[in-house]
Structure formats: structure tokens, C-alpha cells
Amino acid sequence: MIKQINGLHHVTSLASGARENNAFFTNVLGLRRVKQTVNFDAPDVYHLYYGDETGSVGTVMTYFPFPNAGRGRAGAGEVGRTSFAIPTGTSQAWLDRLATFETDGVSQDTRFGEKRVLFNGPDGDQFALVERNDDRTPWTGNGVSEDIAIRGFHSTDMRLRDGDASAELLRFMGYEKLDSENNVTRFIVPGGNDANAIDIEVTPSAPRAAQGAGSVHHIAFAVDNRARQLEVREALLDTGYQVTPVIDRDYFYAIYFRTPGGVLFEVATNEPGFARDEDTANLGEALKLPSQHEHLRTQLENLLEPLEG
């Protein structure tokens, strides 16, 4: 069994427009844009990162906004919902805020005894704000007060037709079953970070998901450093998973593999972090390019959609 994984590192999704995506996460949800860079494989597309003040592990939502991308189709074989932690007793404040911004799909429910505010992002992305006691320090620079601000990730939902093989994988990755409720089973990493929960939602008759704008591209799990990552990679290879070589993503090192249910998993290092190429006070303000694309700077600055204005 793998014991190096601490919980979620980040979640990466697809969008249809960079400006609208940026406005939603910074203005509506009050997160900080901690990095604006580009897709390593398609440098004419942004890679935008949103999180807390420093982009702490377990707080960062990232997006590839492909201009005018078609909407994805929700279904089985994907991460269906991404959940953020908010302080206990703040659901009504968030309901009021989401109403002010005319956010789509707003509703409330309770899962495993925790109150949730459900809502959709600009491309139909499914999110939840989950009440719990969480002592992480939030970002408050975008006008959301500290007493209600998002603390970071709570969990993600894997929506699957059959959850058994993915549950076995999570156990191999160090997760333990915490509880079951209706068709949902929650797994956590004991002693992990504050984003240490994964919910498996079994929907046998759901259509197969089709990826597009609003779809989660992958979820990333955190390990402390490159040595721990190589240990995880070797263990996964020994178990029969096809795992990529280590890829340098500038702000972390990454490996990827596909789960039995079809969800793409990444294992990412906590190092070196988002302050490696700009100081904390100015994170996310300038376009940062991977070294292999720096020669395209003038072209990309003219091509990429302005994020504000």
C-alpha cells in the first residue's frame, strides 16, 4: 500500500473562455489568481490557477480555457463535482452572495451530516461549498470577508457506474473508507492534509461522460517531494498501472495514470511552489511562460484573451 499521498494537490478543469472563468473564481468565489501561464502542449491556451494567498497544496483549482470550447456532457467516468470548505454556519451568506451574482444551479443539501451549497460554474461545472470547522487561512483580497471565505478543497466526487475497482485503487493509495450514504462512499487519508476526502458516487445507469468545457480534466494528489513521487510511481507500475514518466510542470513535478473508472489521476509534488518565479505579493499578475515557449511571448501576448477589462 502507498503511504506517501497526503490528499488532494489540485483539480484541473476545462473552460470555454478565460475572462469569464477568471471573473467567476476571483469575483464570485473570491479566490486569488496565483498563476497565469499556458498549457504546455497548447501554448495558445492559458493555464490559470486559483487558490489561497500562496497557492497552498489542497487549495488550487486550475483551468485550461479553450476559446469557444463545446460544453462537456455529465455522466459516469468523471469527477462530477468539486467541493470547497467554508466555515460552519456560512451557507446562508453564500446563498445570498451567489444570488447576487445570479449563479446557476444553486441549491442546498446535506451529505454525511455536513451542510452543502450546490451551484454551477460558467460552463456548467458542478461545485459545492461544504460547511465544516477548518482552520486554514483564506485569501480575502477579492472582497470576500474572512469569516465566510473559502478555505480550500473539501473533496471531489468520482461519478462511476461501478465503484469497486476505483475503491480498491484508493485503498492502495492509502485512503480508508469513512462512511457510506445512499450511493455515495467517502474515503479519506488518515493524517493527511485538509483536502483528504474523495467521494465515490455509483450511478450504474448514467451515460458515459464526454469531456468538454465544464469537465474536470484530472485530479492531482499531493506528495511531499520527488523522492516520494518516485516511490509512488514504482508502486503503481508494480501493480500494473501505466504511469507516465515524471514531467516538470514548473511549479510541481507530475506523473499521470488512468483509473479503472476512467478518471485521470495525477500525483504532484508539493515543491517547488508558485513563488519560484514571482514574489508572493504579485502572484498571478504577469504572464509566466515555460522556458520552451518563451520565444513565443510577443505572439502569445497578442493572441491570448485579456483576463480583465
Side-chain angles (χ1 to χ4, degrees), residues 18-44:
R19 183 179 298 181
E20 184 179 37
N21 181 261
N22 180 76
F24 181 77
F25 282 94
T26 60
N27 296 341
V28 180
L29 297 189
L31 299 178
R32 186 183 194 187
R33 188 180 69 234
V34 295
K35 193 66 58 180
Q36 54 170 313
T37 181
V38 295
N39 186 315
F40 275 51
D41 302 315
D44 58 338

Side-chain angles (χ1 to χ4, degrees), residues 24 28-29 80-84 86 90-92 94-99 102-111 114-121 124-131 154-155 157 159 184 186 199 201:
F24 181 77
V28 180
L29 297 189
R81 189 179 301 276
T82 303
S83 298
F84 299 94
I86 56 172
T90 61
S91 285
Q92 187 58 54
W94 276 102
L95 289 167
D96 295 342
R97 182 175 182 82
L98 294 174
E102 299 181 346
T103 306
D104 290 336
V106 178
S107 63
Q108 299 179 76
D109 73 357
T110 300
R111 177 182 283 183
E114 297 173 320
K115 292 182 179 179
R116 304 195 303 171
V117 175
L118 311 179
F119 61 100
N120 296 336
D125 339 30
Q126 295 184 355
F127 297 106
L129 302 174
V130 185
E131 288 192 13
H154 174 280
S155 59
D157 290 12
R159 189 174 296 141
V184 178
R186 174 162 293 171
D199 289 351
E201 179 184 358

